[in-house]
Amino acid sequence: MSSIPLLTGQDGARLPAIGLGTYDLRGAAGVAATASAIDAGYRLLDTAFNYDNEGAVGRAVAESSVPRESLIYSTKLPGRYHRHDLARHAIEESLFRSGLDRLDLVLIHWPNPRLGLYAEAWKALVEAREDGLVSMIGVSNFLPEHLDRIIGDTGVTPVLNQILVHPYAPQDAWRAANAERGVLTEGYSPLGKDTDLVREPAVTRIAAAHEVSAAQLLLAWSVSLGVIPLPKSATPARQAENLDVFDIELTDDELGELAGLARPGEGADPMTHEEL
Ligand SMILES: NC(=O)c1ccc[n+]([C@@H]2O[C@H](COP(=O)([O-])OP(=O)(O)OC[C@H]3O[C@@H](n4cnc5c(N)ncnc54)[C@H](OP(=O)(O)O)[C@@H]3O)[C@@H](O)[C@H]2O)c1
């Protein structure tokens, strides 16, 4: 089993340098897929209220022989529950659905700025942490101005910001803004789901030069940036393959070539995207 390096965030929080995406892993098959990932070595599991699989992921955590304290169960609060009282209820519901006795990490899924309630939601997360429902709190898809608002309001900095990161969307400025605030960056869709990224000639050529798969090359690229990628796979062989990326060292020329794949405007705009 590969050993996954750890990154250090706010308040000394230690987070694995890679995690499992679980979107679409549901029901008994979802439990089995999450269990095989834990067996392969994944310790950070990314679910969400809106994925309808908090129970499946929680079941795999509860049934695993890996000690509970070695696993990070991470979920996300949906936009329709941003109002302070609703946010508290939703976090309690996430905890109930997980079947666990605590959540390790809760993120606000999207800022939904048109609703204008993400600052209330953040206060509810801060209180849930104080009350012991959750150990760490963070955000997802938060632009720098959203981070500044919640940090300014509460004095509490999110441990991480989960955003779209892959070579079409390298997010240089956004990642730098996270880092300036002491916020780790988690990367979603690191394999470029719903794009042709794994078939890009630059990606397949550099992968072949390192004798690794395109997926491994993309994950090594995320890791080289200090981003925590969250590859999703339901397939045990791919789950293991996706963990075997920490010995891949990209040259400056290769990084430069991959930087050339950036497409301005890739991904949904958090100022207008509504995730309810
Ligand atoms: N915060 C947010 O707003 C947000 C948004 C999107 C996603 N996320 C999170 O990020 C996670 C990952 O993103 P994603 O699910 O969008 O996409 P992804 O991880 O970029 O891609 C997943 C796709 O790649 C395939 N795949 C996995 N490993 C592979 C390999 N080694 N070779 C070839 N294909 C491979 C998977 O197929 P198989 O499963 O069949 O192997 C699946 O079709 C999600 O599951 C979710 O946890 C968060």
Side-chain angles (χ1 to χ4, degrees):
M1 184 188 303
S2 55
S3 119
I4 299 173
L6 296 172
L7 302 182
T8 304
Q10 288 292 318
D11 304 324
R14 304 279 278 166
L15 287 146
I18 193 168
L20 178 76
T22 72
Y23 180 73
D24 240 9
L25 302 180
R26 291 197 204 90
V31 178
T34 308
S36 80
I38 295 172
D39 288 345
Y42 290 83
R43 295 294 177 262
L44 168 61
L45 310 163
D46 181 71
T47 176
F49 195 103
N50 277 351
Y51 297 171
D52 291 329
N53 68 354
E54 290 173 301
V57 175
R59 170 89 64 95
V61 167
E63 291 179 350
S64 171
S65 58
V66 172
R68 175 69 187 87
E69 62 274 16
S70 300
L71 294 167
I72 298 179
Y73 178 98
S74 177
T75 192
K76 310 186 194 79
L77 175 77
R80 64 189 182 281
Y81 297 130
H82 277 192
R83 212 179 70 200
H84 184 271
D85 56 330
L86 297 180
R88 175 60 175 229
H89 288 148
I91 295 165
E92 289 173 359
E93 179 63 19
S94 284
L95 179 58
F96 176 78
R97 292 182 183 188
S98 74
L100 303 170
D101 60 8
R102 69 160 195 285
L103 301 166
D104 302 304
L105 178 56
V106 175
L107 314 179
I108 300 176
H109 206 147
W110 283 83
N112 288 287
R114 202 179 56 83
L115 288 179
L117 295 173
Y118 65 84
E120 273 190 35
W122 182 247
K123 286 191 184 120
L125 263 63
V126 170
E127 288 162 16
R129 188 179 66 168
E130 285 166 0
D131 294 343
L133 273 70
V134 53
S135 306
M136 293 180 284
I137 52 177
V139 294
S140 180
N141 300 297
F142 269 45
L143 295 172
E145 67 187 82
H146 305 134
L147 292 173
D148 289 340
R149 169 78 198 276
I150 60 172
I151 296 168
D153 273 8
T154 61
V156 179
T157 300
V159 67
L160 60 81
N161 189 10
Q162 182 184 127
I163 63 176
L164 176 74
V165 186
H166 55 56
Y168 288 152
Q171 318 285 24
D172 295 350
W174 201 352
R175 288 186 292 103
N178 290 340
E180 279 161 22
R181 291 161 179 76
V183 176
L184 294 172
T185 300
E186 254 186 351
Y188 68 73
S189 305
L191 306 177
K193 188 180 164 203
D194 298 333
T195 75
D196 285 329
L197 189 56
V198 289
R199 286 173 290 282
E200 268 296 338
V203 170
T204 54
R205 188 165 15 82
I206 297 171
H210 288 268
E211 298 182 340
V212 297
S213 68
Q216 287 174 309
L217 185 273
L218 292 168
L219 295 169
W221 174 86
S222 283
V223 166
S224 77
L225 301 179
V227 171
I228 301 172
L230 300 171
K232 174 263 172 184
S233 180
T235 320
R238 285 176 168 180
Q239 292 171 346
E241 174 188 321
N242 293 348
L243 280 189
D244 189 12
V245 299
F246 292 100
D247 294 331
I248 305 168
E249 300 221 353
L250 303 179
T251 66
D252 289 345
D253 283 353
E254 290 168 340
L255 289 170
E257 198 174 346
L258 294 170
L261 297 178
R263 297 172 171 174
E266 184 83 5
D269 179 357
M271 291 305 292
T272 51
H273 183 80
E274 303 267 287
E275 169 91 16
L276 297 175

